[in-house]
Amino acid sequence: MGTSSDKAVLVDMEGRIVSTQTEPYPTYYPAPAFVEQDPDDYWRAVCEATAKLVDKTGISADDVKGVVFSTQAMGIIPIDKYGNVLHKNITWVDGRAEKQAHSIMKKLGGKKIFTLVAGTPIMGKDVVAKLIWLKEEMPNVYNDTKYFLDVNGFLKFKCTGVPVAEYSGASSYGLDLKKKKWLSALKMTGIDMSKLPPLVKSTDMIGNGLTEEAAKAMKLNAGTPVFGGCDDTQSAAIGSGMIGEGDIHIYLGTSAWVGATSAKQSKFKNGAAAIQSADIDMNLIVGITEAAGSNLEWIKEQFFKKESEELGSGIYDFMDSVIKDIPAGSDYLICTPWMLGERCPVSTTTTRSTLFNIDPRHTREHLMRAVYEGIGYNLRWILENFKKDYGFYTRKFRIIGGGALNDAWMQMIADITNSEFAIVDNPRNSGALGAAIIAMIGLGELKSFADAKQFVKETKTYRPNPANRHIYDEQFASYKRIYFSLNKAYELANSKRFEGQE
C-alpha cells in the first residue's frame, strides 16, 4: 500500500514475482499541511486488486498460502468499539500538528533539552503530535476511539477482524526498541495508552486468517493465513538483501530513504530515526526524504505535459534522454526537493522547495536535471550523516524502487555521492519480495531472515565519474547553504498557515 495506489503482487516460494495488479486511490488536502486518505478506499483497492490478480493469473485460491501487507507508515486511523472508522487516515506526509509538537516538547523540558535526550525534535508530521491534535481539536473522535490503527493494522483488521499493531509500524508511534513494548514516555504526552492495540511480530499469524467476508471480496479462501507484515521501509530493507550489520540501501519512489540495518545502533540523529526492523532482532536506521519521485511527477505534469500526453509511459525514457544533454551541475542551477517539508537530513515542517540561481540560459531541461540532482544532494547529505553519526561505511550500497530503472539518474547519484552502488533485479517490487519473505518465514518455508539473500540478485553496478567530482562538491556545498540561509524565512512564511490558519 503506497502513497497513491495499492499493488497486489503474487510471489512464488522461490521469490519470483509472478504477476502484479495496481489499483489507485485519491488523496485529500482539506487545509494547508493536511494530507488525508479514506481507509475505505484502501480496502476497496485491496479487494479489487487481489480479485483481478486471481482472475488474471488463473491461480486457484487453494494455492494461495498466505496474505501479507507492506504499507505506507505512520498512518492514524481511529476505529470505535464496533470497528467503524471515525476519521480519514491522517497520512505520514500530513504536517498539521506543529503547535502540538512544540507543546509536547515544552512540557518535557523544551526543544533543546528534548532534542538532546531524544536525539531529534518532535515535528508536526510525527504521529504523537497528531494524536494530541486529535485529542485537542476533535475530542469526540478521540474519546470514541477504541484503537488507533496504522494502515497495515487497519488492513489486517479488515482481513481478520483482529485489531493489532506490528512492531515495526508501532515504532513510528513510539516503541521501546529494547523492551519491545509501547514506549512508556507516551503517557507523559497525554496519550491514552489503552487506545494503542496489542503488539505482534511481522511473522505472526493474525487471528484465524481471512474471514468469510474478506475472503469472498478478495476471491481467496476463508482461513488463508494473514501475517503481521510491516511498513514499506522495513519490507524494502528485506527485499534489498541488505540485512547484515551496517548494510545500506536506498529506496527511490514517490518518497525516498536511506536505510541501514543494525543490531547495535538505536540513536535518533539529524532527522534519522531508529525504528524496529521486520526482523525482531534488528533495528533499522532510516533517513526519509519526503518527496523524490513525486517531484519528478510535478516536473512532468507542469513542464512536459504535451510530451507526456503524446508518449504515455514513454515519457520517462524521453526525460531520461534529454537530461543527458545538460551538463553536470545544471549550469549552477539548484532545485531543493522539499516540496512537502523534510524529515532528513533536516527536520522541518515549514520548509518548501526553492529554485536557486536561475538565469536566462536555463531551460526546462535544466530545471528537470536540477530536480534529479537536488534529490541526489539530499541523499548525499543523509549518507554523510550516517557515516558521522553512526560510523556506517557509506561507499557501497544498493538502490531499489522505480527510480533505480532511470539510468541517467543513477549515474548522477553515483557522481554526486562519489560512491559505487548496485541495483537489483526487479527493483520496483523489492518491497513486495521482502513482504513475501516475511510470509514464508511465518509459514515455515524459510528458517530465518538470513535466507532472504538467496532471492536478491544484483543486475548492474554504477561507479562515479571523476570528471564530475569538483562541480558536485561545489554545488552540494551551495545546496546546504540554501537550507541554512532560508530556514528562518520559510518558518516565518509558513508556520501560521501550516497550523491550518489562513
Side-chain angles (χ1 to χ4, degrees), residues 236-237 239-240 249-253 257 398-404 424 427 430-431:
S240 74
H249 76 279
I250 291 175
Y251 170 83
L252 287 173
W257 63 71
R398 287 177 179 169
I399 293 185
I400 59 174
V424 303
S430 294

Side-chain angles (χ1 to χ4, degrees), residues 140-156:
N140 289 341
V141 169
Y142 183 88
N143 292 333
D144 288 345
T145 296
K146 173 65 175 176
Y147 287 121
F148 290 108
L149 300 177
D150 61 8
V151 176
N152 209 310
F154 173 74
L155 295 174
K156 291 194 291 283

Side-chain angles (χ1 to χ4, degrees), residues 166-224:
E166 182 270 333
Y167 284 109
S168 74
S171 62
S172 297
Y173 275 58
L175 182 74
D176 187 318
L177 293 176
K178 293 182 179 179
K179 296 180 180 178
K180 308 303 181 190
K181 295 180 179 179
W182 288 111
L183 198 63
S184 59
L186 290 173
K187 294 178 185 176
M188 299 171 65
T189 68
I191 292 172
D192 182 349
M193 300 290 283
S194 69
K195 296 182 184 294
L196 302 177
L199 293 162
V200 297
K201 292 189 293 186
S202 66
T203 54
D204 285 344
M205 180 175 167
I206 310 304
N208 297 314
L210 288 179
T211 65
E212 292 280 356
E213 182 180 5
K216 182 178 180 181
M218 298 168 74
K219 292 192 174 180
L220 298 176
N221 288 339
T224 300

Side-chain angles (χ1 to χ4, degrees), residues 425-447:
D425 187 36
N426 206 340
R428 287 185 186 276
N429 290 313
S430 294
L433 174 59
I437 288 167
I438 289 168
M440 284 187 244
I441 295 171
L443 288 164
E445 296 287 336
L446 294 177
K447 291 181 180 179

Side-chain angles (χ1 to χ4, degrees), residues 277-298:
S277 169
D279 181 348
I280 199 68
D281 296 322
M282 302 293 281
N283 297 328
L284 197 61
I285 310 299
V286 183
I288 295 178
T289 289
E290 298 278 35
S294 59
N295 287 343
L296 305 178
E297 286 294 309
W298 178 80

Side-chain angles (χ1 to χ4, degrees), residues 411-457:
Q411 188 58 53
M412 277 184 243
I413 291 174
D415 293 348
I416 289 169
T417 62
N418 192 36
S419 299
E420 176 183 315
F421 62 83
I423 61 172
V424 303
D425 187 36
N426 206 340
R428 287 185 186 276
N429 290 313
S430 294
L433 174 59
I437 288 167
I438 289 168
M440 284 187 244
I441 295 171
L443 288 164
E445 296 287 336
L446 294 177
K447 291 181 180 179
S448 70
F449 283 95
D451 293 328
K453 290 197 172 185
Q454 67 182 290
F455 293 135
V456 185
K457 297 177 177 62

